[in-house]
Amino acid sequence: MEIDPHDRTDLTGPWAGFGFQGGHMFTPEGHQLEPCDMTWWSLTCNIAREWRLMMAEERTEVAARSARPRQASATKKSSVICLAEALRIRRERRLGAGVSGPDAEPSNVVYMSRGPRPRQRV
């Protein structure tokens, strides 16, 4: 059986919707992929696999930490950063929360920031 490269060849199974036609691959969305577009697939797949593994490890760590409160440590190294928690810690440091006792009033400090630059005359 001879397969003509100009005939449409549809893939099946998990690749359903993808196919080949005229020496190019097409996606279910109708995008056409040139052969040179596929040169980085190995790297992309490896990055995706590492991301999945990293997120799975983080989910198990979060589940283990949920039983005990987490203490922030500047000396502890971590490869995964919980952005929400990092922003909360930064906000507490900036606003001075948690420094004084639990019955202390919130600070009325206003932080100065630079405004827009004045226009320069030419």
Side-chain angles (χ1 to χ4, degrees), residues 70-78 85 88-89 93:
R70 180 168 182 217
Q71 298 293 324
S73 172
T75 59
K76 181 181 175 186
K77 291 195 174 199
S78 175
E85 190 170 341
R88 181 187 56 78
I89 291 170
R93 285 183 189 155

Side-chain angles (χ1 to χ4, degrees), residues 29-50:
E29 296 84 18
H31 299 288
Q32 181 174 323
L33 302 173
E34 301 285 331
C36 63
D37 295 336
M38 299 180 212
T39 56
W40 295 100
W41 273 11
S42 175
L43 177 62
T44 304
C45 292
N46 285 330
I47 290 171
R49 183 178 59 248
E50 288 299 319

Side-chain angles (χ1 to χ4, degrees), residues 11 15 18-20 23-27 31-33 38 41:
L11 300 176
W15 289 93
F18 289 89
F20 295 96
H24 297 84
M25 184 176 188
F26 58 87
T27 66
H31 299 288
Q32 181 174 323
L33 302 173
M38 299 180 212
W41 273 11

